[in-house]
Every structure is written in C-alpha cells, then in structure tokens.
Amino acid sequence: MKPPRFGTPEHRPLSSENPMRRPEMKIARIETFTNEAVGFVRVTAETGDFGWGQVSTYNADITSTILHRQVAPHAIGQDAFDILRLVTRITELEHKFPGSYLRRALAGLDTALWDLQGRVSEQPVCVLIGGTPGPVRAYASSMKRDIEPEREAKRLLELRDSKGFDAFKIRIGSECGHDADEWPGRSEKMIRTMDRAFGGQAALLADANSCYSPARATEIGKALEDGGFCHFEEPCPYWEFEQTREVADALEIDVTGGEQECELQAWRRMIDGHVVDIVQPDICYTGGLSRTLEVAAMAGRKGLPCTPHCANLSMVTLFTMHLLRAIPNAGEYLEFSIEGEDYYPWQYGLFADDPYSIDDGCAIVRDTPGWGVEINPAWLDKASYRLSQDE
C-alpha cells in the first residue's frame, strides 16, 4: 500500500454541510431543457431567484424524466439552501431505486441549487464551499482509441505548444476489453511513443477503461512505469474492487478509479479498502456537488487525493473546477477534454459565452456568482421543455 498524502490536521477535509445558514427559501419550480445528450435544469425559488444545473450527459432525456417523476415531487416546497439534507432525503424516499439514473437526476437538482445559492449570496460556488476563484491546472484528456500513436503524440505536442498544457492522458487497451487491445500492440507502442515525445517533461496519464485482468494490468502498469507515466486509470473492471486493489498493491504508479461509482457505501468500501491511490468521482454520476464533497472528505480522511472525472465540456467540467479550487485534498489537475465537433458535436453552442478558455495550461474559475455561466438562449429554444411546480 502506498503511503497517504493527505489527511493531516492542516489538510482537514471539508464537510459538504452548507456553511452559510440563511432563512428558508422554498423551491417553487423545477424546469428541464433537454435533448438526448444534455439536460439543463433551472430551479426557481418562491422569491423568483433561480439557479442553473445539469443532469448527467448521455440519455439526458431519460434522466430528465426521472427528475420530474422521482426527484421534483420531493423537492418542491423544500428549503433551497439545505442541499445535502434534501438530496439525502430524496435517496431515502426513493430507496427502491438505487443506482445510476436516480443519482444522475439528483445532480441536476443539486447543482442548480448551488448556483441559486451563489447567485443569491453573490459568491462563486467555490467560495461557498471554502475555496477561492482562480486557475486550475488541467491535463489534456484524449478520448480516442482509434488514433495511431504517432498522430496522438503530434496533436498533444501541438496542444503543449499552443495552450501550455504540461499534462496529458491517453487511452490504452479497449473498453471492457478482456485483455484485448484496440489492435495488437497498440498500447505498448503508445506508451513508448509518448515517452519519446515528451522525454520526461510532462505528466503522462493512461486510462484503460476496465480493460485488463490483474495479471495483464500489472504487466501494462510496469510498462507505464518504465515509460515515465504517473497515473494508471481503471485498469480492471471497475466493479471488481479486489482486482484493482491487487494491481495497486503490485505497482508504484498511482492506480486510480471510481468515475462510475454513484453509491456512497460503495465509495466507503473503495476508500476504506484503499482500492485505489486516487479517487475519481464524477459530480454528475455521483448525484451532485454535495455528495461528491462527501466522497472527497472520505478520501481526505484516508490520505487520498481526489481528481474527479469530467470527460466533456458540458457543465460537469465547470462544477469540477469549482470543487478543485476548494477541497484540501484536490488532485494535481483537472480533466479537460480536447475532443472537437467530430467527437462531441453536442457540446457546442451550450453557453452564452465560453467558460473554458485555457491559459498557460490552466482553466480559470471566475469570480462571478454561482457557476459563473449562462445557458445559450438559442440552445434552450431548441430543447425539449418540461416543468414541475406546486399545484
């Protein structure tokens, strides 16, 4: 087991309990604006104050239906500022529906309430949870497995030179691949090519997306160590905690994971068992910022860094930027997707202005209230609309 890096008294993890106690402000309306890929949520209080959030991407239309049927009825009329208590109570009231979709829907409510609170208090969300606006070091995250190693290295070097990135993640193996590579020899060649291209002058990360058995993952992990990599993500099927722990114990490189986990008890088992060296919750998969703060605090108590998963440029990357500016056990960088319209055509035109400029390898958390972003009215006009409110 690798030694802990956080959890000393000077790195006491935050609680997700709302630090700003205010008079109750009741939730009056919950609206969704959705297409198949993205679903935005607007929560309006009885005062007319509102906030924007987002359900998880992918099948967002299904998730938004769940929000209106299984989340909104429990939320209307409740205190908009008591966020953790509310999302916890909803999971209890909907206890017959554990799992991903309910948590993906909860994320829409939770993140909109944080934005509402930030707008009312005229503070960025990061300040509400104990942080400050400012830069967040980012790693350029490739999503592609159909790319030749030489071409991948070339485009990452171009991003280093044009945007100042000094950390990069590539894909190895094949997704849930049972030890099969995307094509024979690709992963080993990718590791060698990246090592030659960057020569130890960048942080190199690799994501296997549940590809390997423990034996093969250990073999690939040794190659990553020899190639100067520092981060080996989801080496084994993510649901097989014992397999991942076996690999983490066998390697010096940080073994990371957790993006798919949405239940807090699974997180406790993962963290208490030191299954990974770095935890990677996804704010939208986990059920929102409040529940993710709980995960980060659990990890901090065990000395584990938190480097969340946020693999597209919807609002999830913005949520993660605010989180990383606040938690004491923040990992070294923000995941920042580098894929364009050929890969993510749906992530364009979402916002009235772009919150995702990169300056010297860093994204910037603004000092504007809430999440600091407005949804593009033209996008909203084309989305499917639904309203829940008190009858």
Side-chain angles (χ1 to χ4, degrees):
M1 182 186 297
K2 302 174 185 72
R5 282 172 279 181
F6 297 98
T8 58
E10 63 269 26
H11 287 107
R12 182 174 57 83
L14 289 170
S15 166
S16 60
E17 182 180 349
N18 178 8
M20 302 182 66
R21 296 312 304 158
R22 294 179 171 275
E24 280 195 8
M25 182 182 286
K26 294 188 183 299
I27 297 168
R29 295 160 55 91
I30 299 175
E31 301 164 277
T32 56
F33 303 78
T34 311
N35 62 28
E36 219 174 273
V38 187
F40 293 118
V41 180
R42 181 166 61 194
V43 175
T44 304
E46 58 189 350
T47 58
D49 296 288
F50 70 90
W52 283 106
Q54 182 192 299
V55 301
S56 183
T57 49
Y58 306 114
N59 294 324
D61 51 342
I62 298 173
T63 306
S64 293
T65 296
I66 292 166
L67 187 151
H68 286 286
R69 188 167 298 177
Q70 294 182 266
V71 174
H74 304 304
I76 299 296
Q78 298 300 310
D79 182 6
F81 289 115
D82 202 356
I83 305 172
L84 179 61
R85 184 205 63 80
L86 178 57
V87 298
T88 300
R89 185 56 180 154
I90 292 171
T91 63
E92 293 171 349
L93 293 169
E94 294 292 332
H95 65 274
K96 291 185 181 293
F97 295 89
S100 180
Y101 266 115
L102 185 64
R103 308 303 179 263
R104 288 167 179 247
L106 271 175
L109 172 68
D110 172 281
T111 54
L113 290 175
W114 280 107
D115 190 49
L116 167 61
Q117 183 179 147
R119 289 169 185 255
V120 169
S121 64
E122 300 183 337
Q123 298 278 7
V125 172
C126 63
V127 172
L128 299 181
I129 59 175
T132 57
V136 183
R137 180 189 179 200
Y139 70 80
S141 186
S142 168
M143 305 295 157
K144 292 187 175 181
R145 283 189 164 84
D146 61 349
I147 189 169
E148 292 282 352
E150 293 83 358
R151 187 169 155 235
E152 182 74 296
K154 182 175 184 291
R155 73 172 184 152
L156 297 183
L157 286 166
E158 288 171 352
L159 284 168
R160 179 197 65 183
D161 296 340
S162 64
K163 299 288 188 181
F165 286 108
D166 63 358
F168 306 88
K169 186 168 82 177
I170 52 124
R171 304 282 160 162
I172 58 173
S174 59
E175 198 166 353
C176 296
H178 298 277
D179 285 340
D181 214 339
E182 196 70 12
W183 61 80
R186 178 185 179 274
S187 294
E188 289 89 345
K189 185 177 181 183
M190 181 68 79
I191 293 166
R192 293 192 301 270
T193 301
M194 293 291 289
D195 185 22
R196 285 196 303 268
F198 288 95
Q201 300 304 303
L204 300 179
L205 301 78
D207 191 345
N209 290 111
S210 294
C211 179
Y212 300 121
S213 65
R216 180 60 174 151
T218 301
E219 184 179 3
I220 288 290
K222 297 287 189 186
L224 289 167
E225 289 174 350
D226 291 343
F229 281 70
C230 60
H231 170 119
F232 187 12
E233 187 169 334
E234 208 173 271
C236 300
Y238 73 83
W239 55 93
E240 298 287 0
F241 286 3
E242 292 76 13
Q243 291 187 19
T244 301
R245 169 66 187 267
E246 180 181 339
V247 175
D249 286 347
L251 297 173
E252 293 300 317
I253 190 173
D254 282 331
V255 171
T256 77
E259 71 182 69
Q260 315 296 350
E261 299 304 331
C262 63
E263 300 290 359
L264 295 185
Q265 66 268 30
W267 275 112
R268 287 190 198 97
R269 183 180 155 215
M270 177 183 285
I271 290 166
D272 289 347
H274 206 124
V275 170
V276 294
D277 302 306
I278 297 173
V279 300
Q280 295 188 277
D282 183 300
I283 289 174
C284 285
Y285 297 171
T286 303
L289 178 66
S290 304
R291 287 166 59 88
T292 305
L293 283 167
E294 295 289 285
V295 173
M298 285 184 217
R301 288 191 289 271
K302 293 294 183 178
L304 300 180
C306 180
T307 303
H309 172 264
C310 52
N312 61 73
L313 299 182
S314 65
M315 286 183 84
V316 66
T317 296
L318 192 59
F319 303 155
T320 306
M321 289 159 58
H322 282 256
L323 177 78
L324 290 173
R325 286 292 305 180
I327 58 173
N329 58 324
E332 294 185 32
Y333 16 58
L334 165 81
E335 180 170 21
F336 195 91
S337 171
I338 61 171
E339 306 305 345
E341 292 192 56
D342 61 326
Y343 195 93
Y344 286 136
W346 50 263
Q347 74 178 14
Y348 290 87
L350 299 177
F351 306 116
D353 65 291
D354 184 8
Y356 292 134
S357 60
I358 295 292
D359 182 17
D360 196 23
C362 292
I364 307 297
V365 176
R366 302 169 179 172
D367 62 0
T368 46
W371 299 119
V373 72
E374 299 294 342
I375 311 304
N376 183 356
W379 189 95
L380 295 173
D381 287 344
K382 293 188 240 181
S384 296
Y385 175 77
R386 188 167 174 180
L387 165 68
S388 289
Q389 61 184 343
D390 192 358
E391 299 299 333

